[in-house]
Amino acid sequence: MAKAFSEFQPLDETSLIDYIKSVPSLCSKLHNNLNGLEIKEVGDGNLNFVFIVVGSSGSFVIKQALTYVRSIGEAWPMSKDRAYFEAAALKKHGHLCPGHVPEVYHFDHTMSLIAMRYLKPPHIILRKGLVAGIEYPLLADDMSDYMSKTLFYTSLIYNSTTEHKQGVAEFCGNVEMCRLTEQVIFSDPYKVSEYNRWTSPYLDSDAAALREDEALKIEVAELKSLFCERAQALIHGDLHTSSVMVTQESTQVIDSEFSFYGPMGFDVGAFLGNLILAFFAQDGHADEENDREAYKAWILRTIENTWNLFQNKFIALWDQHKDGSGEAYLPAIYNSSEIQQLVQKKFMQDLFHDTLGFGAAKMIRRIVGVAHVEDFEAISDASKRAGCERRALQLAKLLLKERRKFQNIAQVVSAIKQGK
Ligand code: ADP
Ligand code: SR1
Ligand code: MG
């Protein structure tokens, strides 16, 4: 008889077989053929355990949240309810943008466990592709598609205030994940924290300078307030380049456990900020065979195209639904194409500046905070790595403090080029 899983228990490669046997929908994904099942734990993220399950007639991924942060250990407790919010956001975002989100097959609240589509090889984590210098021709188009649809359709521009507040209320429960972000992005990098680290001794004075930079602290406070107080849309909440899996033909967004109703710029900024980090890391990956200059130019084109396509698609959705039930801009008030264009321009300009601010804050945390990125970590020569990190840090400080002076993404790309 199949074992019952009526209480939470962390799974391993052996107990997962019993678990699968106890869930008919998972058995049927494998066409009830569990012979020779291959199960491998592959979690390389910071928080959870991820098992790839491959049978002769089917496959899926099982992701389980435990009661702590995996990369730190039991010393950093964390609610396993994050699995509920990840599953809920995957379903919502998957409904809005099915081409770029893996399908959820099964969710078990008691076990804090999600079963979803296995993104088979050649899918790899985008960040790894960026370190390897691989171009992805569809990336800007696909990510602008994902961001415009998920953000527009969960905002008040499309929804009534009643619908919007229902969503906000549900995702308010993801408070522990928000608190983690508040700490590691908006607080720790600007104070002494046991978790902070950087490429020492090279960046010692750069890290200290962050703690003394009053202008920067004022701007970070404004961004933190936006993050905590602005329930603008159901955001992914952790949209960096390790939350995207890619092939030449496919772009899939995973890992939405930080999702909540927050500022749209936090998602767009996460993606663009991480592409900027990838850009600054390239000099550390250059060798005699490949100076990475052509690849750097591709990253810059991708940054520019992503923003411009996102902006165009978001506005197109807005135009398409301007007479719908969204309550942010009532058609009776915004009743001419002139006023419509004016409010759209103002909205996109504010979103652009939020994007730059959040993107910059996310760059800074990856250089002096708790969780670093492979883009830089893969550069084994510490002094070379520190040089790349310092140039990224300088650009991030400029973007964060001066973001309102940038009128368009081309100006940002020019600033990145000057900072190299
Ligand atoms: P964490 O929440 O711990 O950051 P992730 O969701 O980022 O975990 O997953 C960790 C790793 O597991 C990813 O880097 C990826 O290699 C693998 N993975 C996660 N989801 C899938 C999937 N649906 N298909 C294939 N691999 C996946
Ligand atoms: C302890 S901080 C871990 C980080 O990993 C996740 O991907 C989030 O970015 C989080 O901030
Ligand atoms: Mg992750």
mmCIF file of all heavy atoms in Angstrom, residues 41-52 60-64 70 82 86 102-103 116-121 123-125 128 177 238 240 242-243 245 252 254-258, ligand 1:
data_model
loop_
_atom_site.group_PDB
_atom_site.id
_atom_site.type_symbol
_atom_site.label_atom_id
_atom_site.label_comp_id
_atom_site.label_asym_id
_atom_site.label_seq_id
_atom_site.Cartn_x
_atom_site.Cartn_y
_atom_site.Cartn_z
ATOM 1 N N GLU A 41 18.813 15.044 -7.422
ATOM 2 C CA GLU A 41 18.643 16.366 -6.784
ATOM 3 C C GLU A 41 19.627 17.316 -7.445
ATOM 4 O O GLU A 41 20.822 17.042 -7.495
ATOM 5 C CB GLU A 41 18.904 16.271 -5.277
ATOM 6 C CG GLU A 41 18.190 17.354 -4.470
ATOM 7 C CD GLU A 41 18.862 18.720 -4.473
ATOM 8 O OE1 GLU A 41 20.088 18.776 -4.275
ATOM 9 O OE2 GLU A 41 18.168 19.730 -4.677
ATOM 10 N N VAL A 42 19.104 18.442 -7.992
ATOM 11 C CA VAL A 42 19.978 19.345 -8.759
ATOM 12 C C VAL A 42 19.965 20.764 -8.220
ATOM 13 O O VAL A 42 20.489 21.671 -8.851
ATOM 14 C CB VAL A 42 19.554 19.396 -10.249
ATOM 15 C CG1 VAL A 42 19.765 18.055 -10.925
ATOM 16 C CG2 VAL A 42 18.110 19.875 -10.393
ATOM 17 N N GLY A 43 19.298 20.961 -7.089
ATOM 18 C CA GLY A 43 19.127 22.332 -6.585
ATOM 19 C C GLY A 43 20.455 23.060 -6.482
ATOM 20 O O GLY A 43 21.305 22.692 -5.676
ATOM 21 N N ASP A 44 20.636 24.085 -7.319
ATOM 22 C CA ASP A 44 21.849 24.903 -7.220
ATOM 23 C C ASP A 44 21.473 26.336 -6.876
ATOM 24 O O ASP A 44 22.260 27.248 -6.963
ATOM 25 C CB ASP A 44 22.630 24.861 -8.542
ATOM 26 C CG ASP A 44 21.792 25.396 -9.701
ATOM 27 O OD1 ASP A 44 20.609 25.729 -9.484
ATOM 28 O OD2 ASP A 44 22.322 25.479 -10.820
ATOM 29 N N GLY A 45 20.195 26.513 -6.496
ATOM 30 C CA GLY A 45 19.740 27.841 -6.103
ATOM 31 C C GLY A 45 20.091 28.065 -4.639
ATOM 32 O O GLY A 45 20.748 27.239 -4.005
ATOM 33 N N ASN A 46 19.619 29.167 -4.095
ATOM 34 C CA ASN A 46 19.993 29.508 -2.722
ATOM 35 C C ASN A 46 19.050 28.926 -1.684
ATOM 36 O O ASN A 46 19.393 28.874 -0.513
ATOM 37 C CB ASN A 46 20.001 31.034 -2.560
ATOM 38 C CG ASN A 46 21.201 31.659 -3.238
ATOM 39 O OD1 ASN A 46 22.304 31.153 -3.130
ATOM 40 N ND2 ASN A 46 20.974 32.753 -3.946
ATOM 41 N N LEU A 47 17.851 28.506 -2.101
ATOM 42 C CA LEU A 47 16.846 28.262 -1.069
ATOM 43 C C LEU A 47 16.302 26.853 -0.934
ATOM 44 O O LEU A 47 16.022 26.404 0.177
ATOM 45 C CB LEU A 47 15.662 29.231 -1.280
ATOM 46 C CG LEU A 47 15.980 30.625 -0.741
ATOM 47 C CD1 LEU A 47 16.281 31.575 -1.843
ATOM 48 C CD2 LEU A 47 14.847 31.132 0.095
ATOM 49 N N ASN A 48 16.091 26.138 -2.032
ATOM 50 C CA ASN A 48 15.246 24.946 -1.987
ATOM 51 C C ASN A 48 15.927 23.697 -2.519
ATOM 52 O O ASN A 48 17.073 23.741 -2.967
ATOM 53 C CB ASN A 48 13.978 25.221 -2.810
ATOM 54 C CG ASN A 48 13.250 26.429 -2.289
ATOM 55 O OD1 ASN A 48 12.725 26.408 -1.190
ATOM 56 N ND2 ASN A 48 13.261 27.510 -3.060
ATOM 57 N N PHE A 49 15.158 22.597 -2.504
ATOM 58 C CA PHE A 49 15.633 21.328 -3.057
ATOM 59 C C PHE A 49 14.844 21.034 -4.327
ATOM 60 O O PHE A 49 13.617 21.145 -4.341
ATOM 61 C CB PHE A 49 15.481 20.222 -2.007
ATOM 62 C CG PHE A 49 16.487 20.387 -0.897
ATOM 63 C CD1 PHE A 49 16.284 21.332 0.110
ATOM 64 C CD2 PHE A 49 17.672 19.675 -0.912
ATOM 65 C CE1 PHE A 49 17.236 21.541 1.101
ATOM 66 C CE2 PHE A 49 18.640 19.868 0.079
ATOM 67 C CZ PHE A 49 18.414 20.802 1.095
ATOM 68 N N VAL A 50 15.569 20.700 -5.382
ATOM 69 C CA VAL A 50 14.926 20.463 -6.678
ATOM 70 C C VAL A 50 15.357 19.087 -7.187
ATOM 71 O O VAL A 50 16.561 18.799 -7.264
ATOM 72 C CB VAL A 50 15.314 21.558 -7.705
ATOM 73 C CG1 VAL A 50 14.716 21.241 -9.070
ATOM 74 C CG2 VAL A 50 14.852 22.932 -7.230
ATOM 75 N N PHE A 51 14.366 18.254 -7.485
ATOM 76 C CA PHE A 51 14.635 16.900 -7.970
ATOM 77 C C PHE A 51 14.137 16.783 -9.411
ATOM 78 O O PHE A 51 12.996 17.158 -9.704
ATOM 79 C CB PHE A 51 13.884 15.855 -7.138
ATOM 80 C CG PHE A 51 14.235 15.881 -5.666
ATOM 81 C CD1 PHE A 51 13.538 16.709 -4.786
ATOM 82 C CD2 PHE A 51 15.250 15.073 -5.163
ATOM 83 C CE1 PHE A 51 13.848 16.726 -3.430
ATOM 84 C CE2 PHE A 51 15.571 15.081 -3.807
ATOM 85 C CZ PHE A 51 14.863 15.916 -2.936
ATOM 86 N N ILE A 52 14.981 16.241 -10.274
ATOM 87 C CA ILE A 52 14.531 15.941 -11.629
ATOM 88 C C ILE A 52 14.123 14.473 -11.650
ATOM 89 O O ILE A 52 14.891 13.602 -11.209
ATOM 90 C CB ILE A 52 15.634 16.237 -12.656
ATOM 91 C CG1 ILE A 52 15.824 17.757 -12.723
ATOM 92 C CG2 ILE A 52 15.272 15.684 -14.035
ATOM 93 C CD1 ILE A 52 16.964 18.208 -13.573
ATOM 94 N N PHE A 60 9.122 15.020 -14.805
ATOM 95 C CA PHE A 60 8.731 16.278 -14.169
ATOM 96 C C PHE A 60 9.824 16.693 -13.202
ATOM 97 O O PHE A 60 10.778 15.940 -12.963
ATOM 98 C CB PHE A 60 7.362 16.192 -13.473
ATOM 99 C CG PHE A 60 7.146 14.974 -12.618
ATOM 100 C CD1 PHE A 60 7.688 14.882 -11.348
ATOM 101 C CD2 PHE A 60 6.381 13.910 -13.102
ATOM 102 C CE1 PHE A 60 7.479 13.755 -10.566
ATOM 103 C CE2 PHE A 60 6.174 12.773 -12.324
ATOM 104 C CZ PHE A 60 6.722 12.692 -11.052
ATOM 105 N N VAL A 61 9.637 17.902 -12.664
ATOM 106 C CA VAL A 61 10.554 18.403 -11.635
ATOM 107 C C VAL A 61 9.759 18.530 -10.347
ATOM 108 O O VAL A 61 8.607 18.962 -10.356
ATOM 109 C CB VAL A 61 11.149 19.761 -12.080
ATOM 110 C CG1 VAL A 61 11.576 20.597 -10.900
ATOM 111 C CG2 VAL A 61 12.335 19.540 -13.010
ATOM 112 N N ILE A 62 10.376 18.132 -9.230
ATOM 113 C CA ILE A 62 9.766 18.324 -7.913
ATOM 114 C C ILE A 62 10.617 19.344 -7.162
ATOM 115 O O ILE A 62 11.845 19.178 -7.047
ATOM 116 C CB ILE A 62 9.762 17.001 -7.100
ATOM 117 C CG1 ILE A 62 8.907 15.935 -7.782
ATOM 118 C CG2 ILE A 62 9.331 17.247 -5.657
ATOM 119 C CD1 ILE A 62 7.423 16.039 -7.550
ATOM 120 N N LYS A 63 9.965 20.381 -6.666
ATOM 121 C CA LYS A 63 10.692 21.395 -5.883
ATOM 122 C C LYS A 63 10.088 21.433 -4.490
ATOM 123 O O LYS A 63 8.870 21.574 -4.340
ATOM 124 C CB LYS A 63 10.564 22.753 -6.588
ATOM 125 C CG LYS A 63 11.256 23.889 -5.846
ATOM 126 C CD LYS A 63 11.404 25.137 -6.701
ATOM 127 C CE LYS A 63 12.019 26.261 -5.902
ATOM 128 N NZ LYS A 63 12.225 27.480 -6.668
ATOM 129 N N GLN A 64 10.922 21.290 -3.478
ATOM 130 C CA GLN A 64 10.418 21.305 -2.104
ATOM 131 C C GLN A 64 11.119 22.390 -1.286
ATOM 132 O O GLN A 64 12.347 22.527 -1.335
ATOM 133 C CB GLN A 64 10.639 19.945 -1.426
ATOM 134 C CG GLN A 64 9.945 19.872 -0.069
ATOM 135 C CD GLN A 64 10.086 18.519 0.629
ATOM 136 O OE1 GLN A 64 11.110 17.857 0.503
ATOM 137 N NE2 GLN A 64 9.053 18.132 1.375
ATOM 138 N N ARG A 70 18.577 27.322 2.181
ATOM 139 C CA ARG A 70 19.526 26.241 1.879
ATOM 140 C C ARG A 70 20.988 26.702 1.893
ATOM 141 O O ARG A 70 21.859 26.021 2.442
ATOM 142 C CB ARG A 70 19.181 25.653 0.508
ATOM 143 C CG ARG A 70 20.122 24.564 0.073
ATOM 144 C CD ARG A 70 19.772 24.026 -1.300
ATOM 145 N NE ARG A 70 20.675 22.936 -1.639
ATOM 146 C CZ ARG A 70 20.416 21.978 -2.493
ATOM 147 N NH1 ARG A 70 19.279 21.967 -3.138
ATOM 148 N NH2 ARG A 70 21.290 21.030 -2.739
ATOM 149 N N ARG A 82 6.546 29.523 1.411
ATOM 150 C CA ARG A 82 6.975 30.143 0.146
ATOM 151 C C ARG A 82 6.591 29.271 -1.049
ATOM 152 O O ARG A 82 6.378 29.776 -2.138
ATOM 153 C CB ARG A 82 8.483 30.418 0.158
ATOM 154 C CG ARG A 82 9.373 29.178 0.316
ATOM 155 C CD ARG A 82 10.820 29.632 0.508
ATOM 156 N NE ARG A 82 11.794 28.559 0.564
ATOM 157 C CZ ARG A 82 12.215 27.977 1.692
ATOM 158 N NH1 ARG A 82 11.720 28.358 2.864
ATOM 159 N NH2 ARG A 82 13.144 27.041 1.649
ATOM 160 N N GLU A 86 4.971 30.449 -4.579
ATOM 161 C CA GLU A 86 5.621 30.119 -5.857
ATOM 162 C C GLU A 86 4.620 29.419 -6.784
ATOM 163 O O GLU A 86 4.501 29.770 -7.966
ATOM 164 C CB GLU A 86 6.841 29.221 -5.626
ATOM 165 C CG GLU A 86 7.467 28.772 -6.940
ATOM 166 C CD GLU A 86 8.887 28.249 -6.794
ATOM 167 O OE1 GLU A 86 9.443 28.279 -5.690
ATOM 168 O OE2 GLU A 86 9.443 27.817 -7.815
ATOM 169 N N PRO A 102 6.831 27.437 -16.927
ATOM 170 C CA PRO A 102 6.554 25.985 -16.915
ATOM 171 C C PRO A 102 5.216 25.683 -16.242
ATOM 172 O O PRO A 102 4.847 26.320 -15.255
ATOM 173 C CB PRO A 102 7.721 25.401 -16.114
ATOM 174 C CG PRO A 102 8.275 26.532 -15.320
ATOM 175 C CD PRO A 102 7.998 27.784 -16.098
ATOM 176 N N GLU A 103 4.539 24.687 -16.777
ATOM 177 C CA GLU A 103 3.224 24.311 -16.251
ATOM 178 C C GLU A 103 3.371 23.644 -14.875
ATOM 179 O O GLU A 103 4.266 22.819 -14.672
ATOM 180 C CB GLU A 103 2.586 23.322 -17.232
ATOM 181 C CG GLU A 103 1.138 23.027 -16.959
ATOM 182 C CD GLU A 103 0.607 21.892 -17.834
ATOM 183 O OE1 GLU A 103 1.255 21.581 -18.865
ATOM 184 O OE2 GLU A 103 -0.425 21.323 -17.485
ATOM 185 N N MET A 116 6.334 20.347 -11.452
ATOM 186 C CA MET A 116 6.157 21.187 -12.655
ATOM 187 C C MET A 116 6.857 20.554 -13.848
ATOM 188 O O MET A 116 7.592 19.565 -13.708
ATOM 189 C CB MET A 116 6.691 22.598 -12.401
ATOM 190 C CG MET A 116 8.186 22.686 -12.286
ATOM 191 S SD MET A 116 8.745 24.354 -11.921
ATOM 192 C CE MET A 116 9.221 24.194 -10.197
ATOM 193 N N ARG A 117 6.630 21.164 -14.990
ATOM 194 C CA ARG A 117 7.254 20.676 -16.219
ATOM 195 C C ARG A 117 8.776 20.693 -16.095
ATOM 196 O O ARG A 117 9.353 21.682 -15.612
ATOM 197 C CB ARG A 117 6.824 21.587 -17.383
ATOM 198 C CG ARG A 117 7.372 21.166 -18.714
ATOM 199 C CD ARG A 117 7.002 22.175 -19.814
ATOM 200 N NE ARG A 117 8.033 22.198 -20.827
ATOM 201 C CZ ARG A 117 8.366 23.223 -21.589
ATOM 202 N NH1 ARG A 117 7.715 24.374 -21.467
ATOM 203 N NH2 ARG A 117 9.326 23.148 -22.480
ATOM 204 N N TYR A 118 9.379 19.616 -16.524
ATOM 205 C CA TYR A 118 10.848 19.538 -16.576
ATOM 206 C C TYR A 118 11.315 20.252 -17.841
ATOM 207 O O TYR A 118 10.942 19.869 -18.958
ATOM 208 C CB TYR A 118 11.264 18.062 -16.580
ATOM 209 C CG TYR A 118 12.732 17.798 -16.832
ATOM 210 C CD1 TYR A 118 13.721 18.673 -16.370
ATOM 211 C CD2 TYR A 118 13.140 16.646 -17.505
ATOM 212 C CE1 TYR A 118 15.066 18.415 -16.594
ATOM 213 C CE2 TYR A 118 14.487 16.384 -17.737
ATOM 214 C CZ TYR A 118 15.435 17.277 -17.280
ATOM 215 O OH TYR A 118 16.781 17.024 -17.503
ATOM 216 N N LEU A 119 12.102 21.305 -17.650
ATOM 217 C CA LEU A 119 12.670 22.033 -18.791
ATOM 218 C C LEU A 119 13.929 21.276 -19.207
ATOM 219 O O LEU A 119 15.009 21.450 -18.616
ATOM 220 C CB LEU A 119 12.962 23.481 -18.392
ATOM 221 C CG LEU A 119 11.708 24.246 -17.921
ATOM 222 C CD1 LEU A 119 12.080 25.545 -17.226
ATOM 223 C CD2 LEU A 119 10.770 24.506 -19.100
ATOM 224 N N LYS A 120 13.748 20.437 -20.187
ATOM 225 C CA LYS A 120 14.802 19.471 -20.544
ATOM 226 C C LYS A 120 16.001 20.157 -21.201
ATOM 227 O O LYS A 120 15.853 21.215 -21.810
ATOM 228 C CB LYS A 120 14.229 18.453 -21.539
ATOM 229 C CG LYS A 120 13.176 17.565 -20.922
ATOM 230 C CD LYS A 120 12.725 16.512 -21.926
ATOM 231 C CE LYS A 120 11.555 15.763 -21.327
ATOM 232 N NZ LYS A 120 10.472 15.540 -22.225
ATOM 233 N N PRO A 121 17.166 19.512 -21.125
ATOM 234 C CA PRO A 121 18.286 20.005 -21.920
ATOM 235 C C PRO A 121 17.867 20.066 -23.388
ATOM 236 O O PRO A 121 17.040 19.238 -23.800
ATOM 237 C CB PRO A 121 19.373 18.947 -21.697
ATOM 238 C CG PRO A 121 18.975 18.234 -20.441
ATOM 239 C CD PRO A 121 17.480 18.314 -20.366
ATOM 240 N N HIS A 123 17.874 23.194 -22.341
ATOM 241 C CA HIS A 123 17.624 24.328 -21.447
ATOM 242 C C HIS A 123 18.753 24.425 -20.415
ATOM 243 O O HIS A 123 19.099 23.414 -19.798
ATOM 244 C CB HIS A 123 16.300 24.147 -20.680
ATOM 245 C CG HIS A 123 15.098 24.529 -21.479
ATOM 246 N ND1 HIS A 123 14.295 23.602 -22.101
ATOM 247 C CD2 HIS A 123 14.549 25.742 -21.747
ATOM 248 C CE1 HIS A 123 13.310 24.217 -22.730
ATOM 249 N NE2 HIS A 123 13.438 25.530 -22.535
ATOM 250 N N ILE A 124 19.268 25.625 -20.256
ATOM 251 C CA ILE A 124 20.205 25.876 -19.145
ATOM 252 C C ILE A 124 19.802 27.188 -18.485
ATOM 253 O O ILE A 124 19.031 27.976 -19.043
ATOM 254 C CB ILE A 124 21.696 25.961 -19.584
ATOM 255 C CG1 ILE A 124 21.911 27.076 -20.624
ATOM 256 C CG2 ILE A 124 22.201 24.626 -20.075
ATOM 257 C CD1 ILE A 124 23.379 27.424 -20.844
ATOM 258 N N ILE A 125 20.344 27.392 -17.294
ATOM 259 C CA ILE A 125 20.122 28.656 -16.585
ATOM 260 C C ILE A 125 20.782 29.784 -17.398
ATOM 261 O O ILE A 125 21.952 29.674 -17.799
ATOM 262 C CB ILE A 125 20.725 28.554 -15.163
ATOM 263 C CG1 ILE A 125 19.865 27.629 -14.293
ATOM 264 C CG2 ILE A 125 20.913 29.893 -14.518
ATOM 265 C CD1 ILE A 125 18.502 28.179 -13.906
ATOM 266 N N LYS A 128 24.294 30.995 -16.669
ATOM 267 C CA LYS A 128 25.390 30.129 -17.121
ATOM 268 C C LYS A 128 25.686 30.377 -18.607
ATOM 269 O O LYS A 128 26.845 30.376 -19.036
ATOM 270 C CB LYS A 128 25.045 28.657 -16.876
ATOM 271 C CG LYS A 128 25.034 28.300 -15.396
ATOM 272 C CD LYS A 128 24.872 26.817 -15.167
ATOM 273 C CE LYS A 128 24.745 26.509 -13.669
ATOM 274 N NZ LYS A 128 25.982 26.748 -12.908
ATOM 275 N N MET A 177 9.327 36.277 2.797
ATOM 276 C CA MET A 177 10.208 36.419 1.634
ATOM 277 C C MET A 177 10.469 37.897 1.360
ATOM 278 O O MET A 177 11.586 38.288 1.002
ATOM 279 C CB MET A 177 9.594 35.744 0.404
ATOM 280 C CG MET A 177 9.353 34.256 0.585
ATOM 281 S SD MET A 177 10.834 33.380 1.098
ATOM 282 C CE MET A 177 11.564 33.033 -0.485
ATOM 283 N N ASP A 238 12.000 38.042 -7.977
ATOM 284 C CA ASP A 238 13.409 37.608 -7.938
ATOM 285 C C ASP A 238 13.868 37.305 -9.370
ATOM 286 O O ASP A 238 14.471 36.263 -9.644
ATOM 287 C CB ASP A 238 13.515 36.345 -7.072
ATOM 288 C CG ASP A 238 14.953 36.049 -6.620
ATOM 289 O OD1 ASP A 238 15.772 36.979 -6.570
ATOM 290 O OD2 ASP A 238 15.243 34.873 -6.321
ATOM 291 N N HIS A 240 16.098 37.560 -11.584
ATOM 292 C CA HIS A 240 17.481 37.675 -12.052
ATOM 293 C C HIS A 240 17.755 36.601 -13.115
ATOM 294 O O HIS A 240 16.862 35.797 -13.435
ATOM 295 C CB HIS A 240 18.459 37.591 -10.870
ATOM 296 C CG HIS A 240 18.251 36.392 -9.995
ATOM 297 N ND1 HIS A 240 18.631 35.138 -10.386
ATOM 298 C CD2 HIS A 240 17.686 36.261 -8.767
ATOM 299 C CE1 HIS A 240 18.339 34.277 -9.436
ATOM 300 N NE2 HIS A 240 17.748 34.920 -8.427
ATOM 301 N N SER A 242 19.341 33.908 -13.075
ATOM 302 C CA SER A 242 19.277 32.487 -12.690
ATOM 303 C C SER A 242 17.831 32.037 -12.501
ATOM 304 O O SER A 242 17.583 30.872 -12.172
ATOM 305 C CB SER A 242 20.068 32.221 -11.401
ATOM 306 O OG SER A 242 21.438 32.411 -11.628
ATOM 307 N N SER A 243 16.885 32.944 -12.689
ATOM 308 C CA SER A 243 15.473 32.562 -12.642
ATOM 309 C C SER A 243 14.901 32.385 -14.048
ATOM 310 O O SER A 243 13.683 32.329 -14.225
ATOM 311 C CB SER A 243 14.649 33.629 -11.894
ATOM 312 O OG SER A 243 15.004 33.659 -10.542
ATOM 313 N N MET A 245 15.408 30.068 -17.636
ATOM 314 C CA MET A 245 16.076 28.960 -18.336
ATOM 315 C C MET A 245 15.859 29.139 -19.832
ATOM 316 O O MET A 245 14.770 29.532 -20.265
ATOM 317 C CB MET A 245 15.545 27.600 -17.857
ATOM 318 C CG MET A 245 15.899 27.344 -16.391
ATOM 319 S SD MET A 245 15.565 25.646 -15.832
ATOM 320 C CE MET A 245 16.908 24.739 -16.604
ATOM 321 N N GLN A 252 12.134 30.442 -20.475
ATOM 322 C CA GLN A 252 11.187 30.017 -19.443
ATOM 323 C C GLN A 252 11.568 30.648 -18.116
ATOM 324 O O GLN A 252 12.717 30.545 -17.683
ATOM 325 C CB GLN A 252 11.228 28.482 -19.297
ATOM 326 C CG GLN A 252 10.955 27.724 -20.584
ATOM 327 C CD GLN A 252 9.514 27.851 -21.047
ATOM 328 O OE1 GLN A 252 8.597 27.940 -20.220
ATOM 329 N NE2 GLN A 252 9.297 27.883 -22.353
ATOM 330 N N ILE A 254 11.348 30.669 -14.144
ATOM 331 C CA ILE A 254 11.073 29.762 -13.015
ATOM 332 C C ILE A 254 11.212 30.527 -11.696
ATOM 333 O O ILE A 254 11.499 31.732 -11.700
ATOM 334 C CB ILE A 254 12.066 28.564 -13.013
ATOM 335 C CG1 ILE A 254 13.530 29.055 -12.885
ATOM 336 C CG2 ILE A 254 11.891 27.712 -14.267
ATOM 337 C CD1 ILE A 254 14.533 27.948 -12.569
ATOM 338 N N ASP A 255 10.974 29.868 -10.585
ATOM 339 C CA ASP A 255 11.408 30.320 -9.252
ATOM 340 C C ASP A 255 10.737 31.607 -8.765
ATOM 341 O O ASP A 255 11.417 32.552 -8.357
ATOM 342 C CB ASP A 255 12.943 30.494 -9.286
ATOM 343 C CG ASP A 255 13.532 30.467 -7.897
ATOM 344 O OD1 ASP A 255 12.803 30.146 -6.941
ATOM 345 O OD2 ASP A 255 14.734 30.787 -7.753
ATOM 346 N N SER A 256 9.402 31.609 -8.764
ATOM 347 C CA SER A 256 8.689 32.837 -8.375
ATOM 348 C C SER A 256 8.268 32.832 -6.901
ATOM 349 O O SER A 256 7.242 33.381 -6.541
ATOM 350 C CB SER A 256 7.464 33.019 -9.275
ATOM 351 O OG SER A 256 6.723 31.819 -9.333
ATOM 352 N N GLU A 257 9.102 32.258 -6.028
ATOM 353 C CA GLU A 257 8.706 32.146 -4.613
ATOM 354 C C GLU A 257 8.720 33.481 -3.870
ATOM 355 O O GLU A 257 8.196 33.578 -2.755
ATOM 356 C CB GLU A 257 9.609 31.148 -3.889
ATOM 357 C CG GLU A 257 11.029 31.622 -3.758
ATOM 358 C CD GLU A 257 11.986 30.510 -3.377
ATOM 359 O OE1 GLU A 257 11.660 29.754 -2.467
ATOM 360 O OE2 GLU A 257 13.061 30.430 -3.989
ATOM 361 N N PHE A 258 9.327 34.538 -4.470
ATOM 362 C CA PHE A 258 9.333 35.860 -3.828
ATOM 363 C C PHE A 258 8.161 36.726 -4.302
ATOM 364 O O PHE A 258 8.127 37.921 -4.037
ATOM 365 C CB PHE A 258 10.641 36.597 -4.122
ATOM 366 C CG PHE A 258 11.830 36.080 -3.343
ATOM 367 C CD1 PHE A 258 12.563 34.994 -3.791
ATOM 368 C CD2 PHE A 258 12.212 36.672 -2.149
ATOM 369 C CE1 PHE A 258 13.651 34.509 -3.082
ATOM 370 C CE2 PHE A 258 13.299 36.200 -1.424
ATOM 371 C CZ PHE A 258 14.021 35.113 -1.892
HETATM 372 P P1 ADP B 1 15.829 28.076 -5.624
HETATM 373 O O1 ADP B 1 14.444 28.484 -5.253
HETATM 374 O O2 ADP B 1 16.531 27.301 -4.573
HETATM 375 O O3 ADP B 1 16.616 29.240 -6.126
HETATM 376 P P2 ADP B 1 15.403 27.281 -8.370
HETATM 377 O O4 ADP B 1 13.950 27.343 -8.651
HETATM 378 O O5 ADP B 1 16.235 28.417 -8.854
HETATM 379 O O6 ADP B 1 15.658 27.043 -6.816
HETATM 380 O O7 ADP B 1 15.943 25.916 -8.949
HETATM 381 C C1 ADP B 1 17.271 25.474 -8.699
HETATM 382 C C2 ADP B 1 17.799 24.793 -9.953
HETATM 383 O O8 ADP B 1 16.973 23.680 -10.302
HETATM 384 C C3 ADP B 1 17.785 25.695 -11.171
HETATM 385 O O9 ADP B 1 18.964 26.446 -11.214
HETATM 386 C C4 ADP B 1 17.686 24.691 -12.307
HETATM 387 O O10 ADP B 1 18.949 24.182 -12.614
HETATM 388 C C5 ADP B 1 16.855 23.568 -11.707
HETATM 389 N N1 ADP B 1 15.429 23.691 -12.060
HETATM 390 C C6 ADP B 1 14.457 24.342 -11.364
HETATM 391 N N2 ADP B 1 13.259 24.240 -11.972
HETATM 392 C C7 ADP B 1 13.468 23.511 -13.099
HETATM 393 C C8 ADP B 1 12.624 23.026 -14.151
HETATM 394 N N3 ADP B 1 11.318 23.296 -14.170
HETATM 395 N N4 ADP B 1 13.191 22.286 -15.137
HETATM 396 C C9 ADP B 1 14.520 21.997 -15.127
HETATM 397 N N5 ADP B 1 15.351 22.402 -14.147
HETATM 398 C C10 ADP B 1 14.854 23.151 -13.143
#
